[in-house]
Amino acid sequence: MCDVWKQTDGREMSPSEFDRYLDDFKKLSVRWVVLSGGEPLMHSNLFPFCSRLKSLGIRTTILTTGLLLQRDASRIVECVDDLIVSLDGPPEIHDLIRRASGAFDRLACGIAAIHRMHAEFPIAARSTVQRANFRHLRDTARTAKTLGLRSISFLAADVASTAFNRPNGWPPERQSGIALAADDLPFLDAEIERLLDEWEDAGLLADSPEKLRRIARHFRAYLGLCEPAAPKCNAPWVSAVVETDGTIRPCFFHEAIGHAREGLIAALNTPAAIAFRRNLDVGTNPICRRCVCSLNWSAA
C-alpha cells in the first residue's frame, strides 16, 4: 500500500552514514529500531547494520514482504530480533494483492526456513485491510496461525495521505480501487465481530477490539459518513522516522522536521522540531485524525 518501491535511483543509506548515527543512538537511549521499506531485505548493508544495532543492545525488527526470507534466513536468525511480515490474506488473496503468482508460497517457505533454524524465532503478521480482502479477515488470521506466526495485526489501507512516496497523493480512481464503498461497511463490521469471536481469547490478535473496530470507522470517515477521530498516539514524542535520504519526520505522515546530516540529536531538537512537538494536539490535528495507524509507546 506504499509507493516507496517506485524510487528507482538505487539510493541506499551507506555504512558511513549509518555509523554516524550510532553515537546519537547511545545518547538518545534508543531501545528499538524498525527497518522498513520498500523492502529492507534488498538493502546491500542491511545485516551489517543489524549487527551494529545488536552490539548496542538495541532491539531490531525488520518489516518485510517476506519474498526474500528463505534466501536470508540464516542471517536473519543471527542478526535480527524479530520480523513482521505482510500478510494480505489466504494464499489466493495474498497473491492477488501482491500481483505476484507464488508470493504466498515464497513467504511460507521463508517462514518455515527460519523456524527450522530457530523454532521460537518471533515472526508476526501485519495485514492491510482494503477492498480485495476485507471479507477474509478470519481466513487471514487462520492463515497466520497455520504459518506458525506469533500474532497478527490489522490496519486500514491509507489511501488519502501523501506519505510513503506519494507527494501528490493517489488520484481518485486509485483511491476508489482500494478503499471500501459504503455498501461494504456492514460486511466489514460483521467480519470484525466474527474475527473477535473466533480469535480474541486465543492470543493471536495483536489489536484490541477498539483498534479493530476503528478500521471500519476510518473508512466511514473517508467516505464522509462520520467525523474522523485520531487514535491514541505518542509517536512524535518517543520515536522518529529516518528516510533513506536522511530526511527525519516525527512519524510517517507529518512533514519533515530535520535532516540526519545535522546529526540526529540536533535534527530532533531544531526550533521547528521542538515547536512541532510542543504545539501538536493529536486529537484535533487533521493529519492525526485521519491516520490509519498509531504508536502509543510506554517505557514500562
Side-chain angles (χ1 to χ4, degrees), residues 214-272:
R214 187 175 179 272
I215 295 171
R217 290 201 297 274
H218 172 81
F219 285 117
R220 284 188 168 85
Y222 169 77
L223 294 168
L225 301 175
C226 71
E227 284 294 312
K232 293 180 180 178
C233 182
N234 61 3
W237 296 275
V238 301
S239 68
V241 173
V242 182
E243 298 182 346
T244 55
D245 65 353
T247 298
I248 297 178
R249 300 179 185 275
C251 72
F252 287 106
F253 301 95
H254 282 284
E255 293 295 322
I257 55 173
H259 196 280
R261 62 174 166 261
E262 307 160 24
L264 293 179
I265 293 175
L268 291 170
N269 289 285
T270 62

Side-chain angles (χ1 to χ4, degrees), residues 138-161:
R138 286 172 295 160
D139 287 339
T140 305
R142 293 168 192 150
T143 301
K145 185 69 173 179
T146 299
L147 289 170
L149 301 181
R150 182 163 293 190
S151 65
I152 184 169
S153 61
F154 294 87
L155 75 163
D158 169 41
V159 300
S161 84

Side-chain angles (χ1 to χ4, degrees), residues 50-104:
C50 293
S51 295
R52 287 174 172 83
L53 293 170
K54 191 167 187 174
S55 71
L56 296 177
I58 296 173
R59 175 182 172 183
T60 305
T61 299
I62 290 179
L63 184 59
T64 174
T65 63
L67 295 176
L68 300 175
L69 290 181
Q70 189 168 19
R71 183 195 74 179
D72 293 330
S74 62
R75 290 186 291 178
I76 289 169
V77 169
E78 178 185 357
C79 302
V80 179
D81 290 296
D82 59 287
L83 293 175
I84 301 173
V85 298
S86 297
L87 181 64
D88 295 309
E92 65 281 3
I93 300 297
H94 183 86
D95 285 3
L96 173 69
I97 292 175
R98 289 283 139 187
R99 293 181 287 180
S101 178
F104 179 85

Side-chain angles (χ1 to χ4, degrees), residues 63-217:
L63 184 59
T64 174
T65 63
L67 295 176
L68 300 175
L69 290 181
Q70 189 168 19
R71 183 195 74 179
D72 293 330
S74 62
R75 290 186 291 178
I76 289 169
V77 169
E78 178 185 357
C79 302
V80 179
D81 290 296
D82 59 287
L83 293 175
I84 301 173
V85 298
S86 297
L87 181 64
D88 295 309
E92 65 281 3
I93 300 297
H94 183 86
D95 285 3
L96 173 69
I97 292 175
R98 289 283 139 187
R99 293 181 287 180
S101 178
F104 179 85
D105 288 340
R106 289 178 66 181
L107 171 64
C109 288
I111 292 168
I114 290 171
H115 282 157
R116 281 195 298 271
M117 296 177 186
H118 183 345
E120 299 301 319
F121 189 89
I123 309 177
R126 179 172 295 167
S127 186
T128 302
V129 179
Q130 53 135 301
R131 177 168 289 185
N133 67 4
F134 76 95
R135 297 176 185 267
H136 302 277
L137 304 189
R138 286 172 295 160
D139 287 339
T140 305
R142 293 168 192 150
T143 301
K145 185 69 173 179
T146 299
L147 289 170
L149 301 181
R150 182 163 293 190
S151 65
I152 184 169
S153 61
F154 294 87
L155 75 163
D158 169 41
V159 300
S161 84
T162 58
F164 309 115
N165 196 37
R166 301 193 304 236
N168 300 313
W170 273 345
E173 60 272 17
R174 173 69 168 147
Q175 294 186 31
S176 63
I178 299 295
L180 274 62
D183 290 347
D184 296 327
L185 294 172
F187 296 95
L188 176 60
D189 289 333
E191 182 67 5
I192 289 171
E193 296 308 316
R194 294 184 184 116
L195 175 71
L196 288 166
D197 287 345
E198 185 170 331
W199 291 105
E200 185 177 5
D201 297 325
L204 183 69
L205 295 179
D207 305 313
S208 67
E210 167 61 23
K211 191 171 181 181
L212 287 168
R213 290 170 181 139
R214 187 175 179 272
I215 295 171
R217 290 201 297 274

